Amino acid sequence: MTLQGDEHRLHQLVANLLANARTHTAPGTHGTVRLTLRGGDAVLQVEGDGPGVSPDARAEIFQRLVRADHGRSRSAGGTGLGLAIVRAVAAAHGGCAELADSPAGMSFIVILPTAGRPPEIG
C-alpha cells in the first residue's frame, strides 16, 4: 500500500489520533489500532471499549477548540485541536475522518486514498 502525501502531516494525523485515545480513554478500558485496505483506500481505525463520545458532542467533535470532556482543564485534557487537525490533514490528502459506533464502543476512522485515488466513503 502506498500513500502519497506529506510525511510530517500524516505522522501528525496518526500521533493526534493516538494522543486523543490515550488522553480520553478511562483506565481499565482497551483500545485497538487497525490499518487495513478497503476498496483501495487505506483505513486507519482507532477503536476503544470505553463510554465513547457523548451524543451532544458527536456533531462537533472534529471542530476546532471543541473538547468533549468539559470537566477537564486544558492542562489535564487538551486544547480541542487534535481531532480538527486529524480531519484537516485527512481532507488535505483527499480523505476523510469520521466517528462511528463499533461493536466494542466507539471508533475514529480515517480513510485515505492510495496512489492518488479519491476515497470511497461509507
Side-chain angles (χ1 to χ4, degrees):
M1 161 182 12
T2 301
L3 290 177
Q4 295 180 357
D6 183 314
E7 175 183 356
H8 299 291
R9 294 296 151 246
L10 292 170
H11 180 269
Q12 183 179 27
L13 179 152
V14 173
N16 283 4
L17 271 180
L18 296 178
N20 184 72
R22 182 188 72 245
T23 302
H24 301 289
T25 301
T29 57
H30 299 91
T32 304
V33 178
R34 289 182 191 88
L35 180 61
T36 58
L37 278 175
R38 181 175 73 194
D41 294 332
V43 179
L44 175 62
Q45 182 177 10
V46 178
E47 181 179 67
D49 64 0
V53 178
S54 69
D56 33 321
R58 290 179 77 143
E60 300 176 329
I61 198 70
F62 287 101
Q63 294 180 19
R64 291 180 52 207
L65 305 178
V66 168
R67 294 182 309 149
D69 186 352
H70 298 291
R72 290 181 184 256
S73 67
R74 283 191 172 186
S75 62
T79 60
L81 293 174
L83 292 176
I85 291 169
V86 166
R87 180 168 269 178
V89 171
H93 286 82
C96 63
E98 52 194 50
L99 177 62
D101 291 319
S102 72
M106 189 72 49
S107 183
F108 285 92
I109 301 168
V110 175
I111 302 171
L112 296 168
T114 58
R117 298 178 53 255
E120 295 178 20
I121 300 172

